[in-house]
Amino acid sequence: MKNLMIYGTKYGFTTECMNQLIARLEGETTLINIKTDRVPSLAGYDKVILGGSVYMGTVQKEIKEYAASHTAELSAKKVGLFLCCGLAENFQAYLTNSFPALLLSNAGAKEVFGGVLNTGKMGFLDKMITSMMKKATEKENKPLPRPLPENITRFAEIMNG
């Protein structure tokens, strides 16, 4: 069983999630950061996992474009889609904004892996947006974004099944 994981990350949380997922997946896994690595042909893979982090309501443009241009190929595989985001309650809307409808309907696993607000790695604009988000979250008495490792485990179980 060969797995291909294609992901995008901005500050590294998604990479952490991918490492946790690799540890839970059965079979050989190839990990591709779409921003730095060349995506291989899907022909040699049984399962494909695709996703990334959400900014401004959608996944990275490279992931979105890859999914749109390879929908037919991806639909012929066992596919899992994931997103890392701070507002897990918006997961369904983010999925719809990020992936083609056909791919969404064919995906065997769809999951949110949570998020973190690590301002130490952020640029000025992202720090400002994050600060506003924290204030709004506190004002509404909502919890701050957090990792959801139980969702990574559930996702792996579905992909392994």
Side-chain angles (χ1 to χ4, degrees):
M1 194 63 57
K2 290 185 74 176
N3 309 306
L4 178 62
M5 293 172 43
I6 306 167
Y7 74 101
T9 189
K10 189 167 183 179
Y11 295 116
F13 177 71
T14 306
T15 303
E16 292 174 26
C17 292
M18 294 300 86
N19 290 330
Q20 291 176 40
L21 185 56
I22 285 173
R24 292 167 173 82
L25 286 176
E26 297 170 357
E28 178 186 330
T29 301
T30 301
L31 186 62
I32 300 293
N33 180 338
I34 201 163
K35 290 182 172 261
T36 60
D37 305 323
R38 190 182 138 277
V39 179
S41 165
L42 300 180
Y45 296 94
D46 304 295
K47 301 173 186 175
V48 180
I49 296 167
L50 185 64
S53 50
V54 172
Y55 290 91
M56 307 306 281
T58 190
V59 74
Q60 285 89 356
K61 103 180 149 153
E62 295 89 348
I63 293 292
K64 192 171 184 170
E65 289 172 356
Y66 182 85
S69 64
H70 291 83
T71 300
E73 269 184 287
L74 288 164
S75 294
K77 305 283 181 182
K78 182 171 185 177
V79 172
L81 303 173
F82 74 90
L83 294 172
C84 294
C85 62
L87 300 173
E89 64 269 17
N90 296 338
F91 176 61
Q92 290 302 322
Y94 295 155
L95 271 178
T96 301
N97 290 339
S98 299
F99 299 105
L102 178 62
L103 190 57
L104 284 170
S105 66
N106 288 336
K110 295 176 262 196
E111 197 60 75
V112 59
F113 294 165
V116 294
L117 300 176
N118 186 356
T119 57
K121 296 180 178 181
M122 293 180 183
F124 174 76
L125 183 60
D126 285 342
K127 280 183 184 180
M128 189 172 72
I129 292 168
T130 299
S131 175
M132 291 180 345
M133 182 181 156
K134 281 182 178 180
K135 286 178 185 174
T137 300
E138 289 169 2
K139 187 177 180 179
E140 297 173 9
N141 291 322
K142 290 184 178 180
L144 287 174
R146 65 179 182 83
L148 300 171
E150 64 276 13
N151 293 5
I152 296 172
T153 299
R154 183 172 46 243
F155 186 91
E157 288 169 354
I158 293 167
M159 292 304 292
N160 287 334

Short mmCIF file of all heavy atoms in Angstrom, two decimals, residues 46-112:
data_model
loop_
_atom_site.label_atom_id
_atom_site.label_comp_id
_atom_site.label_asym_id
_atom_site.label_seq_id
_atom_site.Cartn_x
_atom_site.Cartn_y
_atom_site.Cartn_z
N ASP A 46 -1.84 4.26 -4.09
CA ASP A 46 -3.17 3.72 -3.84
C ASP A 46 -4.08 4.75 -3.17
O ASP A 46 -5.28 4.78 -3.44
CB ASP A 46 -3.07 2.49 -2.91
CG ASP A 46 -2.15 1.44 -3.49
OD1 ASP A 46 -2.49 0.89 -4.55
OD2 ASP A 46 -1.07 1.19 -2.90
N LYS A 47 -3.48 5.55 -2.28
CA LYS A 47 -4.25 6.54 -1.52
C LYS A 47 -3.56 7.90 -1.63
O LYS A 47 -2.34 7.98 -1.64
CB LYS A 47 -4.32 6.15 -0.04
CG LYS A 47 -4.98 4.81 0.19
CD LYS A 47 -4.88 4.41 1.65
CE LYS A 47 -5.42 3.00 1.85
NZ LYS A 47 -5.22 2.55 3.24
N VAL A 48 -4.39 8.95 -1.69
CA VAL A 48 -3.87 10.30 -1.76
C VAL A 48 -4.54 11.14 -0.67
O VAL A 48 -5.77 11.15 -0.56
CB VAL A 48 -4.10 10.96 -3.14
CG1 VAL A 48 -3.54 12.37 -3.18
CG2 VAL A 48 -3.48 10.11 -4.25
N ILE A 49 -3.72 11.82 0.10
CA ILE A 49 -4.19 12.72 1.15
C ILE A 49 -3.80 14.13 0.74
O ILE A 49 -2.66 14.37 0.36
CB ILE A 49 -3.59 12.33 2.51
CG1 ILE A 49 -4.08 10.94 2.90
CG2 ILE A 49 -3.90 13.38 3.57
CD1 ILE A 49 -3.35 10.31 4.05
N LEU A 50 -4.76 15.03 0.79
CA LEU A 50 -4.56 16.38 0.26
C LEU A 50 -5.14 17.41 1.23
O LEU A 50 -6.26 17.24 1.71
CB LEU A 50 -5.25 16.49 -1.10
CG LEU A 50 -5.10 17.75 -1.91
CD1 LEU A 50 -3.66 17.98 -2.33
CD2 LEU A 50 -5.99 17.67 -3.15
N GLY A 51 -4.38 18.46 1.50
CA GLY A 51 -4.90 19.52 2.35
C GLY A 51 -3.85 20.53 2.74
O GLY A 51 -2.74 20.52 2.23
N GLY A 52 -4.23 21.39 3.66
CA GLY A 52 -3.31 22.42 4.12
C GLY A 52 -3.97 23.30 5.15
O GLY A 52 -5.02 22.99 5.70
N SER A 53 -3.34 24.44 5.36
CA SER A 53 -3.85 25.38 6.35
C SER A 53 -4.77 26.40 5.70
O SER A 53 -4.63 26.71 4.52
CB SER A 53 -2.68 26.07 7.05
OG SER A 53 -1.75 26.57 6.11
N VAL A 54 -5.69 26.90 6.47
CA VAL A 54 -6.69 27.85 5.99
C VAL A 54 -6.29 29.27 6.36
O VAL A 54 -5.97 29.55 7.51
CB VAL A 54 -8.08 27.53 6.57
CG1 VAL A 54 -9.08 28.62 6.24
CG2 VAL A 54 -8.56 26.18 6.09
N TYR A 55 -6.29 30.14 5.36
CA TYR A 55 -6.11 31.58 5.55
C TYR A 55 -7.15 32.28 4.72
O TYR A 55 -7.35 31.94 3.56
CB TYR A 55 -4.70 32.02 5.13
CG TYR A 55 -3.66 31.50 6.09
CD1 TYR A 55 -3.05 30.28 5.86
CD2 TYR A 55 -3.35 32.19 7.25
CE1 TYR A 55 -2.13 29.77 6.76
CE2 TYR A 55 -2.44 31.69 8.15
CZ TYR A 55 -1.82 30.48 7.90
OH TYR A 55 -0.93 29.97 8.80
N MET A 56 -7.85 33.21 5.34
CA MET A 56 -8.89 33.98 4.65
C MET A 56 -9.96 33.07 4.05
O MET A 56 -10.45 33.29 2.95
CB MET A 56 -8.27 34.89 3.58
CG MET A 56 -7.15 35.78 4.08
SD MET A 56 -7.60 36.79 5.50
CE MET A 56 -8.49 38.08 4.70
N GLY A 57 -10.29 31.99 4.76
CA GLY A 57 -11.42 31.15 4.39
C GLY A 57 -11.16 30.05 3.38
O GLY A 57 -12.09 29.35 2.99
N THR A 58 -9.91 29.87 2.96
CA THR A 58 -9.61 28.83 1.98
C THR A 58 -8.19 28.30 2.18
O THR A 58 -7.36 28.94 2.82
CB THR A 58 -9.81 29.35 0.54
OG1 THR A 58 -9.75 28.25 -0.37
CG2 THR A 58 -8.79 30.39 0.17
N VAL A 59 -7.95 27.13 1.62
CA VAL A 59 -6.63 26.50 1.69
C VAL A 59 -5.66 27.24 0.75
O VAL A 59 -6.08 28.04 -0.09
CB VAL A 59 -6.77 25.00 1.31
CG1 VAL A 59 -6.98 24.82 -0.18
CG2 VAL A 59 -5.60 24.17 1.80
N GLN A 60 -4.37 26.96 0.87
CA GLN A 60 -3.37 27.58 0.00
C GLN A 60 -3.75 27.42 -1.47
O GLN A 60 -4.27 26.38 -1.87
CB GLN A 60 -1.99 26.93 0.19
CG GLN A 60 -1.29 27.31 1.44
CD GLN A 60 -1.62 26.41 2.61
OE1 GLN A 60 -2.44 25.50 2.51
NE2 GLN A 60 -0.99 26.66 3.74
N LYS A 61 -3.44 28.44 -2.24
CA LYS A 61 -3.83 28.44 -3.66
C LYS A 61 -3.21 27.27 -4.42
O LYS A 61 -3.83 26.72 -5.32
CB LYS A 61 -3.52 29.79 -4.30
CG LYS A 61 -2.33 29.86 -5.15
CD LYS A 61 -2.07 31.20 -5.74
CE LYS A 61 -0.58 31.28 -5.87
NZ LYS A 61 0.03 32.03 -6.79
N GLU A 62 -2.01 26.84 -4.06
CA GLU A 62 -1.37 25.72 -4.74
C GLU A 62 -2.16 24.43 -4.55
O GLU A 62 -2.30 23.63 -5.48
CB GLU A 62 0.07 25.52 -4.24
CG GLU A 62 1.01 26.67 -4.56
CD GLU A 62 1.05 27.75 -3.48
OE1 GLU A 62 0.18 27.76 -2.57
OE2 GLU A 62 1.94 28.61 -3.55
N ILE A 63 -2.67 24.21 -3.36
CA ILE A 63 -3.49 23.02 -3.07
C ILE A 63 -4.81 23.12 -3.83
O ILE A 63 -5.26 22.16 -4.47
CB ILE A 63 -3.74 22.85 -1.56
CG1 ILE A 63 -2.43 22.52 -0.83
CG2 ILE A 63 -4.81 21.81 -1.28
CD1 ILE A 63 -1.85 21.15 -1.14
N LYS A 64 -5.42 24.28 -3.76
CA LYS A 64 -6.71 24.50 -4.44
C LYS A 64 -6.57 24.27 -5.94
O LYS A 64 -7.39 23.58 -6.57
CB LYS A 64 -7.20 25.92 -4.14
CG LYS A 64 -8.62 26.18 -4.52
CD LYS A 64 -9.07 27.54 -3.98
CE LYS A 64 -10.52 27.75 -4.27
NZ LYS A 64 -11.07 28.91 -3.59
N GLU A 65 -5.52 24.82 -6.55
CA GLU A 65 -5.30 24.66 -7.98
C GLU A 65 -4.97 23.22 -8.34
O GLU A 65 -5.45 22.70 -9.36
CB GLU A 65 -4.18 25.59 -8.45
CG GLU A 65 -4.58 27.06 -8.44
CD GLU A 65 -3.42 28.01 -8.71
OE1 GLU A 65 -2.25 27.56 -8.85
OE2 GLU A 65 -3.68 29.23 -8.76
N TYR A 66 -4.17 22.54 -7.51
CA TYR A 66 -3.84 21.14 -7.78
C TYR A 66 -5.11 20.29 -7.74
O TYR A 66 -5.33 19.46 -8.63
CB TYR A 66 -2.81 20.62 -6.76
CG TYR A 66 -2.42 19.20 -7.05
CD1 TYR A 66 -1.41 18.92 -7.97
CD2 TYR A 66 -3.08 18.12 -6.46
CE1 TYR A 66 -1.06 17.62 -8.28
CE2 TYR A 66 -2.74 16.82 -6.75
CZ TYR A 66 -1.73 16.58 -7.66
OH TYR A 66 -1.40 15.28 -7.98
N ALA A 67 -5.93 20.49 -6.73
CA ALA A 67 -7.17 19.72 -6.62
C ALA A 67 -8.08 19.95 -7.82
O ALA A 67 -8.65 19.00 -8.37
CB ALA A 67 -7.90 20.09 -5.32
N ALA A 68 -8.18 21.20 -8.25
CA ALA A 68 -9.05 21.52 -9.40
C ALA A 68 -8.53 20.91 -10.69
O ALA A 68 -9.31 20.40 -11.50
CB ALA A 68 -9.18 23.04 -9.54
N SER A 69 -7.23 20.92 -10.88
CA SER A 69 -6.67 20.42 -12.15
C SER A 69 -6.46 18.91 -12.17
O SER A 69 -6.21 18.35 -13.23
CB SER A 69 -5.36 21.14 -12.48
OG SER A 69 -4.38 20.86 -11.51
N HIS A 70 -6.59 18.24 -11.03
CA HIS A 70 -6.39 16.79 -10.97
C HIS A 70 -7.61 16.06 -10.39
O HIS A 70 -7.49 14.93 -9.91
CB HIS A 70 -5.15 16.47 -10.13
CG HIS A 70 -3.87 16.88 -10.77
ND1 HIS A 70 -3.39 18.16 -10.69
CD2 HIS A 70 -2.99 16.19 -11.53
CE1 HIS A 70 -2.26 18.24 -11.36
NE2 HIS A 70 -1.99 17.06 -11.88
N THR A 71 -8.77 16.68 -10.45
CA THR A 71 -9.97 16.10 -9.85
C THR A 71 -10.28 14.70 -10.40
O THR A 71 -10.57 13.78 -9.62
CB THR A 71 -11.20 17.02 -10.05
OG1 THR A 71 -10.91 18.28 -9.44
CG2 THR A 71 -12.45 16.43 -9.44
N ALA A 72 -10.21 14.52 -11.69
CA ALA A 72 -10.53 13.21 -12.28
C ALA A 72 -9.56 12.14 -11.79
O ALA A 72 -9.99 11.05 -11.39
CB ALA A 72 -10.52 13.30 -13.80
N GLU A 73 -8.27 12.43 -11.82
CA GLU A 73 -7.25 11.49 -11.35
C GLU A 73 -7.44 11.16 -9.88
O GLU A 73 -7.35 10.02 -9.46
CB GLU A 73 -5.85 12.09 -11.50
CG GLU A 73 -5.14 11.82 -12.79
CD GLU A 73 -3.75 12.42 -12.71
OE1 GLU A 73 -3.65 13.66 -12.78
OE2 GLU A 73 -2.79 11.63 -12.59
N LEU A 74 -7.67 12.20 -9.08
CA LEU A 74 -7.85 12.02 -7.64
C LEU A 74 -9.10 11.21 -7.34
O LEU A 74 -9.10 10.38 -6.42
CB LEU A 74 -7.91 13.38 -6.94
CG LEU A 74 -6.59 14.14 -6.86
CD1 LEU A 74 -6.83 15.60 -6.52
CD2 LEU A 74 -5.66 13.49 -5.85
N SER A 75 -10.15 11.42 -8.11
CA SER A 75 -11.41 10.71 -7.87
C SER A 75 -11.30 9.21 -8.13
O SER A 75 -12.13 8.44 -7.66
CB SER A 75 -12.52 11.32 -8.73
OG SER A 75 -12.77 12.64 -8.31
N ALA A 76 -10.27 8.79 -8.85
CA ALA A 76 -10.05 7.38 -9.11
C ALA A 76 -9.27 6.70 -7.98
O ALA A 76 -9.07 5.48 -8.01
CB ALA A 76 -9.30 7.20 -10.43
N LYS A 77 -8.84 7.46 -6.99
CA LYS A 77 -8.05 6.94 -5.86
C LYS A 77 -8.89 7.00 -4.58
O LYS A 77 -9.91 7.68 -4.53
CB LYS A 77 -6.79 7.80 -5.64
CG LYS A 77 -5.89 7.95 -6.84
CD LYS A 77 -5.08 6.72 -7.05
CE LYS A 77 -4.15 6.88 -8.25
NZ LYS A 77 -3.39 5.66 -8.49
N LYS A 78 -8.41 6.34 -3.54
CA LYS A 78 -8.97 6.56 -2.21
C LYS A 78 -8.36 7.87 -1.73
O LYS A 78 -7.15 7.99 -1.60
CB LYS A 78 -8.64 5.42 -1.25
CG LYS A 78 -9.26 5.63 0.12
CD LYS A 78 -9.12 4.42 1.01
CE LYS A 78 -9.87 4.68 2.32
NZ LYS A 78 -9.82 3.51 3.18
N VAL A 79 -9.21 8.86 -1.51
CA VAL A 79 -8.74 10.21 -1.19
C VAL A 79 -9.21 10.64 0.19
O VAL A 79 -10.34 10.36 0.60
CB VAL A 79 -9.25 11.23 -2.24
CG1 VAL A 79 -8.94 12.66 -1.84
CG2 VAL A 79 -8.65 10.94 -3.60
N GLY A 80 -8.31 11.32 0.90
CA GLY A 80 -8.63 11.96 2.16
C GLY A 80 -8.32 13.44 2.05
O GLY A 80 -7.29 13.81 1.48
N LEU A 81 -9.21 14.27 2.55
CA LEU A 81 -9.03 15.72 2.53
C LEU A 81 -9.00 16.23 3.96
O LEU A 81 -9.82 15.82 4.78
CB LEU A 81 -10.17 16.40 1.77
CG LEU A 81 -10.39 15.94 0.33
CD1 LEU A 81 -11.66 16.58 -0.23
CD2 LEU A 81 -9.19 16.28 -0.54
N PHE A 82 -8.09 17.14 4.24
CA PHE A 82 -8.00 17.70 5.59
C PHE A 82 -7.72 19.19 5.50
O PHE A 82 -7.22 19.70 4.49
CB PHE A 82 -6.90 17.01 6.41
CG PHE A 82 -5.53 17.44 5.99
CD1 PHE A 82 -4.92 18.54 6.59
CD2 PHE A 82 -4.85 16.78 4.99
CE1 PHE A 82 -3.65 18.95 6.18
CE2 PHE A 82 -3.60 17.19 4.57
CZ PHE A 82 -3.00 18.28 5.17
N LEU A 83 -8.03 19.88 6.58
CA LEU A 83 -7.69 21.29 6.72
C LEU A 83 -7.20 21.52 8.14
O LEU A 83 -7.70 20.92 9.09
CB LEU A 83 -8.90 22.18 6.45
CG LEU A 83 -9.43 22.17 5.02
CD1 LEU A 83 -10.74 22.95 4.94
CD2 LEU A 83 -8.40 22.73 4.04
N CYS A 84 -6.24 22.40 8.27
CA CYS A 84 -5.79 22.89 9.57
C CYS A 84 -6.32 24.31 9.68
O CYS A 84 -6.06 25.14 8.80
CB CYS A 84 -4.27 22.89 9.65
SG CYS A 84 -3.55 21.24 9.61
N CYS A 85 -7.10 24.56 10.72
CA CYS A 85 -7.67 25.89 10.88
C CYS A 85 -8.02 26.15 12.34
O CYS A 85 -8.26 25.22 13.10
CB CYS A 85 -8.90 26.07 10.00
SG CYS A 85 -10.27 24.96 10.36
N GLY A 86 -8.03 27.41 12.68
CA GLY A 86 -8.33 27.81 14.03
C GLY A 86 -9.81 27.79 14.37
O GLY A 86 -10.18 27.69 15.53
N LEU A 87 -10.66 27.90 13.37
CA LEU A 87 -12.11 27.94 13.59
C LEU A 87 -12.73 26.65 13.06
O LEU A 87 -13.30 26.60 11.97
CB LEU A 87 -12.72 29.16 12.91
CG LEU A 87 -12.19 30.51 13.40
CD1 LEU A 87 -12.74 31.64 12.54
CD2 LEU A 87 -12.53 30.73 14.86
N ALA A 88 -12.61 25.60 13.86
CA ALA A 88 -13.09 24.28 13.44
C ALA A 88 -14.58 24.28 13.12
O ALA A 88 -15.04 23.50 12.29
CB ALA A 88 -12.77 23.23 14.51
N GLU A 89 -15.33 25.18 13.73
CA GLU A 89 -16.78 25.23 13.47
C GLU A 89 -17.08 25.67 12.04
O GLU A 89 -18.18 25.46 11.54
CB GLU A 89 -17.50 26.13 14.48
CG GLU A 89 -17.11 27.59 14.43
CD GLU A 89 -15.95 27.98 15.35
OE1 GLU A 89 -15.20 27.08 15.82
OE2 GLU A 89 -15.78 29.17 15.60
N ASN A 90 -16.11 26.24 11.36
CA ASN A 90 -16.29 26.67 9.96
C ASN A 90 -15.73 25.65 8.96
O ASN A 90 -15.62 25.95 7.78
CB ASN A 90 -15.62 28.02 9.73
CG ASN A 90 -16.26 29.13 10.54
OD1 ASN A 90 -17.41 29.01 10.94
ND2 ASN A 90 -15.53 30.19 10.77
N PHE A 91 -15.39 24.47 9.44
CA PHE A 91 -14.73 23.46 8.61
C PHE A 91 -15.48 23.15 7.31
O PHE A 91 -14.88 23.13 6.23
CB PHE A 91 -14.53 22.18 9.43
CG PHE A 91 -13.96 21.03 8.66
CD1 PHE A 91 -12.72 21.11 8.07
CD2 PHE A 91 -14.68 19.85 8.53
CE1 PHE A 91 -12.18 20.04 7.36
CE2 PHE A 91 -14.15 18.78 7.83
CZ PHE A 91 -12.90 18.88 7.25
N GLN A 92 -16.79 22.93 7.39
CA GLN A 92 -17.55 22.58 6.18
C GLN A 92 -17.50 23.71 5.14
O GLN A 92 -17.33 23.44 3.94
CB GLN A 92 -19.00 22.23 6.53
CG GLN A 92 -19.15 20.92 7.27
CD GLN A 92 -18.59 19.73 6.50
OE1 GLN A 92 -18.71 19.63 5.29
NE2 GLN A 92 -17.96 18.82 7.21
N ALA A 93 -17.62 24.93 5.57
CA ALA A 93 -17.55 26.07 4.65
C ALA A 93 -16.15 26.16 4.03
O ALA A 93 -16.01 26.41 2.83
CB ALA A 93 -17.90 27.37 5.36
N TYR A 94 -15.12 25.94 4.84
CA TYR A 94 -13.75 25.98 4.32
C TYR A 94 -13.51 24.86 3.30
O TYR A 94 -12.85 25.07 2.29
CB TYR A 94 -12.74 25.87 5.45
CG TYR A 94 -12.73 27.02 6.43
CD1 TYR A 94 -12.27 26.83 7.72
CD2 TYR A 94 -13.17 28.30 6.09
CE1 TYR A 94 -12.24 27.87 8.64
CE2 TYR A 94 -13.15 29.34 7.00
CZ TYR A 94 -12.68 29.12 8.28
OH TYR A 94 -12.64 30.15 9.19
N LEU A 95 -14.05 23.67 3.58
CA LEU A 95 -13.93 22.57 2.62
C LEU A 95 -14.55 22.95 1.28
O LEU A 95 -13.94 22.74 0.23
CB LEU A 95 -14.63 21.31 3.14
CG LEU A 95 -13.87 20.33 3.99
CD1 LEU A 95 -14.78 19.19 4.42
CD2 LEU A 95 -12.63 19.80 3.31
N THR A 96 -15.75 23.48 1.33
CA THR A 96 -16.47 23.88 0.11
C THR A 96 -15.70 24.96 -0.66
O THR A 96 -15.66 24.93 -1.89
CB THR A 96 -17.88 24.39 0.47
OG1 THR A 96 -18.57 23.33 1.15
CG2 THR A 96 -18.66 24.78 -0.76
N ASN A 97 -15.05 25.88 0.06
CA ASN A 97 -14.26 26.94 -0.59
C ASN A 97 -12.94 26.43 -1.15
O ASN A 97 -12.34 27.08 -2.00
CB ASN A 97 -13.94 28.06 0.41
CG ASN A 97 -15.15 28.87 0.80
OD1 ASN A 97 -16.15 28.89 0.09
ND2 ASN A 97 -15.06 29.52 1.94
N SER A 98 -12.47 25.27 -0.66
CA SER A 98 -11.13 24.81 -0.99
C SER A 98 -11.04 23.71 -2.04
O SER A 98 -10.03 23.59 -2.73
CB SER A 98 -10.45 24.31 0.29
OG SER A 98 -10.34 25.34 1.25
N PHE A 99 -12.10 22.88 -2.16
CA PHE A 99 -12.01 21.71 -3.03
C PHE A 99 -13.21 21.62 -3.96
O PHE A 99 -14.32 22.00 -3.59
CB PHE A 99 -11.92 20.44 -2.19
CG PHE A 99 -10.71 20.38 -1.30
CD1 PHE A 99 -10.82 20.60 0.07
CD2 PHE A 99 -9.46 20.14 -1.84
CE1 PHE A 99 -9.71 20.57 0.89
CE2 PHE A 99 -8.34 20.10 -1.02
CZ PHE A 99 -8.46 20.31 0.34
N PRO A 100 -13.00 21.06 -5.17
CA PRO A 100 -14.12 20.88 -6.11
C PRO A 100 -15.18 19.93 -5.54
O PRO A 100 -14.87 19.00 -4.80
CB PRO A 100 -13.45 20.24 -7.34
CG PRO A 100 -12.00 20.53 -7.20
CD PRO A 100 -11.72 20.63 -5.74
N ALA A 101 -16.43 20.18 -5.89
CA ALA A 101 -17.56 19.40 -5.37
C ALA A 101 -17.39 17.90 -5.66
O ALA A 101 -17.68 17.07 -4.79
CB ALA A 101 -18.87 19.91 -5.96
N LEU A 102 -16.95 17.53 -6.85
CA LEU A 102 -16.77 16.12 -7.19
C LEU A 102 -15.75 15.46 -6.27
O LEU A 102 -15.96 14.35 -5.78
CB LEU A 102 -16.34 15.96 -8.65
CG LEU A 102 -16.06 14.53 -9.12
CD1 LEU A 102 -17.33 13.68 -9.01
CD2 LEU A 102 -15.54 14.51 -10.54
N LEU A 103 -14.67 16.14 -5.99
CA LEU A 103 -13.65 15.60 -5.10
C LEU A 103 -14.19 15.47 -3.68
O LEU A 103 -13.96 14.46 -3.01
CB LEU A 103 -12.40 16.50 -5.13
CG LEU A 103 -11.16 15.96 -4.44
CD1 LEU A 103 -10.76 14.61 -5.01
CD2 LEU A 103 -10.03 16.96 -4.58
N LEU A 104 -14.94 16.45 -3.24
CA LEU A 104 -15.55 16.39 -1.90
C LEU A 104 -16.49 15.20 -1.78
O LEU A 104 -16.49 14.50 -0.77
CB LEU A 104 -16.31 17.68 -1.60
CG LEU A 104 -15.46 18.88 -1.23
CD1 LEU A 104 -16.32 20.14 -1.20
CD2 LEU A 104 -14.78 18.67 0.11
N SER A 105 -17.28 14.95 -2.82
CA SER A 105 -18.24 13.85 -2.74
C SER A 105 -17.56 12.49 -2.82
O SER A 105 -18.08 11.50 -2.29
CB SER A 105 -19.30 13.97 -3.84
OG SER A 105 -18.73 13.82 -5.11
N ASN A 106 -16.39 12.40 -3.43
CA ASN A 106 -15.66 11.13 -3.56
C ASN A 106 -14.69 10.86 -2.42
O ASN A 106 -14.20 9.74 -2.29
CB ASN A 106 -14.91 11.08 -4.88
CG ASN A 106 -15.84 10.91 -6.07
OD1 ASN A 106 -16.94 10.41 -5.94
ND2 ASN A 106 -15.39 11.36 -7.22
N ALA A 107 -14.39 11.87 -1.61
CA ALA A 107 -13.40 11.69 -0.55
C ALA A 107 -13.92 10.75 0.54
O ALA A 107 -15.03 10.91 1.02
CB ALA A 107 -13.03 13.04 0.05
N GLY A 108 -13.09 9.79 0.90
CA GLY A 108 -13.46 8.84 1.94
C GLY A 108 -13.31 9.39 3.34
O GLY A 108 -14.01 9.01 4.25
N ALA A 109 -12.36 10.31 3.50
CA ALA A 109 -12.12 10.92 4.81
C ALA A 109 -12.02 12.43 4.63
O ALA A 109 -11.37 12.91 3.69
CB ALA A 109 -10.83 10.38 5.41
N LYS A 110 -12.67 13.16 5.52
CA LYS A 110 -12.60 14.63 5.53
C LYS A 110 -12.51 15.03 6.99
O LYS A 110 -13.37 14.65 7.79
CB LYS A 110 -13.84 15.25 4.89
CG LYS A 110 -13.98 14.96 3.41
CD LYS A 110 -15.27 15.53 2.86
CE LYS A 110 -16.27 14.40 2.82
NZ LYS A 110 -17.44 14.61 2.03
N GLU A 111 -11.47 15.79 7.33
CA GLU A 111 -11.28 16.09 8.75
C GLU A 111 -10.58 17.43 8.94
O GLU A 111 -9.83 17.89 8.09
CB GLU A 111 -10.45 14.97 9.39
CG GLU A 111 -10.53 14.93 10.89
CD GLU A 111 -11.94 14.73 11.43
OE1 GLU A 111 -12.47 13.61 11.36
OE2 GLU A 111 -12.51 15.73 11.92
N VAL A 112 -10.84 18.03 10.10
CA VAL A 112 -10.16 19.25 10.54
C VAL A 112 -9.15 18.84 11.62
O VAL A 112 -9.49 18.06 12.51
CB VAL A 112 -11.15 20.31 11.06
CG1 VAL A 112 -11.98 19.82 12.23
CG2 VAL A 112 -10.43 21.61 11.41
#
